[in-house]
Amino acid sequence: MAAAARSQVMSLYRTMLRESAKFPSYNYRNYALRRVRDAFKANRNVEDPKAVERLMEEGRQTLALIQRQDLTVIVPSTLTLKHRVK
Amino acid sequence: MLASGRTVSSRLLRPTAWLPLRLSSERTAASSPQKELIKKHEQDELRPLYMDFQATTPMDPRVLDAMLPYQVNYYGNPHSRTHAYGWESESAMETARKQVADLIGADPREIVFTSGATESNNMAIKGVARFYKAKKRHVITTQTEHKCVLDSCRILESEGFDVTYLPVQKNGLLDLELLEASIRTDTSLVSVMTVNNEIGVKQPIKEIGQICRSKGVFFHTDAAQAVGKIPISISDWKIDLMSISGHKIYGPKGVGALYVRRRPRVRLEPIQNGGGQERGLRSGTVPTPLAVGLGAACSVAQKEMEYDHQRVSMLANRLVQKIMSEIPDVIMNGDPEQRYPGCINLSFAYVEGESLLMALKDVALSSGSACTSASLEPSYVLRAIGADEDLAHSSIRFGIGRFTTEEEVDYTAEKCIEQVRRLREMSPLWEMIQEGIDLKSIKWTQH
């Protein structure tokens, strides 16, 4: 992989991790971090520039999705304390 | 990085406080109304760990992302043919239909959207039986089916149909020879679930499909717990009807689908009549956002199936290994091989299941299906596999899914080991066992 492409991949990887870490929910956050790491690891040896570009595009779309979704902190207004573990 | 310091008070509140539940420092940049929300959310995070993925699953963020536009701006009725609002909703609905069909290897025209697997099961069982009632008056199912299948069959019985409830073997699997012998010339339908919701066993669907096809009997399977988790092929398995649920596969609640084979054609009498939507099989406006959610959930499941399966198997092994290596007399219910790994049903001998659930109140678990979790009766599924009354009373179902973490599994296992030990120390039965008394030899006072 060309050096320029490589640095682009690394930059996308870091941004995706940074954004995944913003999920307020413990389970979503951990899943997103793990899934991003595993996806990059699984494709670490892809050399074909076309395949790299396709994966990069997929990554950029996922990044946009993470950025849209990781702000969803919604708590039902009807939730009362008695439902929670004391 | 994520586990910034928890306060002492929250550590006391939540026994799982060591889990990195804290928000990352980036959050502090949020605006103040958002801070309020986040604070509220953190309180909300004091809820138990979730280990009940058979009851329902959280929605995947990818699913919500696909649904949101149809909850707000794109609100057209998918059946409106006269304007763009209708067309865009219709196109979204058809894309979703294709996503569902692709996951199971079907044609989109064979997918009918419903309100969930319960409706799909009702539709399939009552629908087929009633349509063919002039010539065929017999239906076969098993004793370990979901309540909605069993109840639909009861209704058919009250309408004069004959229903055979086949027993299952000790491992929870159906005996194929028994099935073959039970099929009569007037049998219209066989209904067997793919993956059991309580004990996780996987029925030999392919073989059952073969038998049914060779005998000219329609075959329905309730695959609510299987779709998206194990590979399914409608044509290889010769399935004629299949029920699918949205909220068991990280999709929205309130939506499901029924696969109805076109060639050879399966006909059913609709339960819900009206505007003739869904080819007249299920009248009523299709809820576009929910259908889109189900489609997205199926498409994500297809992409993630292998990854998820590997992960869930690893976590399930970890949980079982930990528990079994630390405490004796733990029985795993259901066949050890033919199963979906994410549903683990364990019986802890000499411990009462409900007491254990109470003791494990910071982990969301269940002793069986959510529908029957209000009753203290032992599960009918466990009784059907021949579990002794006391073992049926001491069972707990652990559900592992896409969003379960290693930490949660470890915490659950440790907590479980600790509480089983504590409860056994208090149990007179356990004491007798330690003294070498055979419990079966004891004459309990008769009342």
Side-chain angles (χ1 to χ4, degrees), chain B residues 329 429-437:
Chain B
D329 299 310
L429 293 180
W430 179 247
E431 215 169 287
M432 283 189 246
I433 290 292
Q434 298 308 305
E435 286 161 12
I437 301 169

CSV table of all heavy atoms in Angstrom, one decimal, chain B residues 329 429-437:
chain,number,residue,atom,x,y,z
B,329,ASP,N,-22.3,-30.3,40.4
B,329,ASP,CA,-23.8,-30.6,40.2
B,329,ASP,C,-24.5,-29.4,39.4
B,329,ASP,O,-25.5,-28.9,39.9
B,329,ASP,CB,-24.5,-30.8,41.5
B,329,ASP,CG,-23.9,-32.0,42.2
B,329,ASP,OD1,-23.8,-33.1,41.6
B,329,ASP,OD2,-23.5,-31.9,43.4
B,429,LEU,N,-31.0,-29.9,52.0
B,429,LEU,CA,-30.8,-30.9,51.0
B,429,LEU,C,-29.3,-31.1,50.7
B,429,LEU,O,-28.8,-32.2,50.6
B,429,LEU,CB,-31.5,-30.6,49.7
B,429,LEU,CG,-33.0,-30.5,49.7
B,429,LEU,CD1,-33.6,-30.2,48.3
B,429,LEU,CD2,-33.6,-31.9,50.2
B,430,TRP,N,-28.6,-30.0,50.5
B,430,TRP,CA,-27.2,-30.0,50.2
B,430,TRP,C,-26.4,-30.7,51.3
B,430,TRP,O,-25.5,-31.5,51.1
B,430,TRP,CB,-26.7,-28.6,50.0
B,430,TRP,CG,-25.2,-28.4,49.7
B,430,TRP,CD1,-24.3,-27.8,50.5
B,430,TRP,CD2,-24.6,-28.9,48.5
B,430,TRP,NE1,-23.1,-27.9,49.9
B,430,TRP,CE2,-23.2,-28.5,48.7
B,430,TRP,CE3,-25.0,-29.6,47.3
B,430,TRP,CZ2,-22.2,-28.8,47.7
B,430,TRP,CZ3,-24.0,-29.9,46.4
B,430,TRP,CH2,-22.6,-29.5,46.6
B,431,GLU,N,-26.8,-30.4,52.6
B,431,GLU,CA,-26.2,-31.0,53.7
B,431,GLU,C,-26.3,-32.5,53.7
B,431,GLU,O,-25.4,-33.2,53.9
B,431,GLU,CB,-26.9,-30.4,55.0
B,431,GLU,CG,-26.0,-30.2,56.2
B,431,GLU,CD,-26.7,-29.4,57.2
B,431,GLU,OE1,-26.9,-28.2,57.0
B,431,GLU,OE2,-27.1,-30.0,58.2
B,432,MET,N,-27.5,-32.9,53.4
B,432,MET,CA,-27.8,-34.4,53.3
B,432,MET,C,-26.9,-35.0,52.3
B,432,MET,O,-26.4,-36.1,52.5
B,432,MET,CB,-29.3,-34.6,53.1
B,432,MET,CG,-30.2,-34.4,54.3
B,432,MET,SD,-31.8,-35.0,53.9
B,432,MET,CE,-32.7,-33.5,53.9
B,433,ILE,N,-26.8,-34.3,51.1
B,433,ILE,CA,-26.0,-34.9,50.0
B,433,ILE,C,-24.5,-35.0,50.5
B,433,ILE,O,-23.9,-36.0,50.3
B,433,ILE,CB,-26.1,-34.0,48.8
B,433,ILE,CG1,-27.4,-34.0,48.2
B,433,ILE,CG2,-25.0,-34.3,47.8
B,433,ILE,CD1,-27.8,-35.4,47.5
B,434,GLN,N,-24.1,-34.0,51.2
B,434,GLN,CA,-22.7,-34.0,51.7
B,434,GLN,C,-22.5,-35.2,52.7
B,434,GLN,O,-21.4,-35.8,52.8
B,434,GLN,CB,-22.3,-32.7,52.4
B,434,GLN,CG,-22.4,-31.5,51.5
B,434,GLN,CD,-21.6,-31.7,50.2
B,434,GLN,OE1,-20.4,-32.0,50.3
B,434,GLN,NE2,-22.2,-31.5,49.1
B,435,GLU,N,-23.6,-35.6,53.4
B,435,GLU,CA,-23.5,-36.7,54.4
B,435,GLU,C,-23.7,-38.0,53.7
B,435,GLU,O,-23.7,-39.1,54.3
B,435,GLU,CB,-24.5,-36.5,55.5
B,435,GLU,CG,-24.2,-35.4,56.5
B,435,GLU,CD,-25.4,-34.9,57.3
B,435,GLU,OE1,-26.4,-35.6,57.2
B,435,GLU,OE2,-25.2,-33.9,58.0
B,436,GLY,N,-23.9,-38.0,52.4
B,436,GLY,CA,-24.1,-39.2,51.6
B,436,GLY,C,-25.5,-39.8,51.7
B,436,GLY,O,-25.6,-41.0,51.5
B,437,ILE,N,-26.5,-39.0,52.0
B,437,ILE,CA,-27.8,-39.6,52.0
B,437,ILE,C,-28.4,-39.4,50.6
B,437,ILE,O,-28.3,-38.4,50.0
B,437,ILE,CB,-28.7,-38.8,53.0
B,437,ILE,CG1,-28.1,-38.9,54.4
B,437,ILE,CG2,-30.1,-39.3,53.0
B,437,ILE,CD1,-28.7,-38.0,55.4
